[in-house]
Amino acid sequence: MRSMTLPVTVALAVLLGLTACGTPEVAAPTNTPTAEAPSPTPTPTTEPPAAFTPACDTIVTAATLAEFTADGVSITPQAEFVAKMKGEGQDTYVQFDDNGGAICQTGNGTAAFEIYGYAKFPADQADALIDRLYGNDYKVDGFGDAEGQWFELPDDADGVDRVYLVLTTGTVVVGGSRDRVEEILEIAE
């Protein structure tokens, strides 16, 4: 038993001796605060809302579109309607398209029911439109709630009632009734 105790004792003495002399001490880490680089102010990630793009299915409500479908009414594609109007010399409707607006015709394939649209006309074109409306027997029927004039065709000569609202800003809205014009104006403006 003695022989085993001696090597263990020697090993402990050597280990203690090494620890007491010669092993360098490692400095303990300090808890000194370091200055952190300021974090950049986060940039808002919300993008501005997309600009309103007038189209036959965006200037009327979903309920109106559903009503059209339920009644078997379809909307003529704008490009097709505008091409037809160019061929007939109907410049007023073509100007809606030329000015980045929407001009729409509804029908059932055999007859047109309603023309509705929205566009922002330059001042000279809006003035020319007003002159054309007067020249085509439209009557001024008071002023709109927004600053502008209502024009209505008193006699439904061609089977498609039309009401125009021409705002002083150049916005022009057309529809089969005041209700349609107001619906469009509420969505677009």
Side-chain angles (χ1 to χ4, degrees), residues 86-152:
K86 280 183 182 178
E88 294 178 5
Q90 298 287 338
D91 293 337
T92 300
Y93 297 132
V94 174
Q95 286 179 322
F96 278 84
D97 186 63
D98 289 347
N99 289 313
I103 188 69
C104 317
Q105 178 186 33
T106 65
N108 65 358
T110 60
F113 295 144
E114 180 180 2
I115 294 172
Y116 65 94
Y118 169 90
K120 293 184 181 278
F121 283 41
D124 62 328
Q125 286 183 8
D127 291 342
L129 172 63
I130 290 170
D131 291 343
R132 267 196 309 274
L133 293 172
Y134 279 125
N136 288 319
D137 297 327
Y138 278 82
K139 304 296 180 208
V140 174
D141 190 15
F143 290 89
D145 295 335
E147 296 178 30
Q149 291 179 304
W150 288 99
F151 291 88
E152 293 188 40

Side-chain angles (χ1 to χ4, degrees), residues 10-25:
V10 172
L12 274 174
V14 171
L15 184 60
L16 287 175
L18 284 176
T19 305
C21 64
T23 56
E25 291 187 25

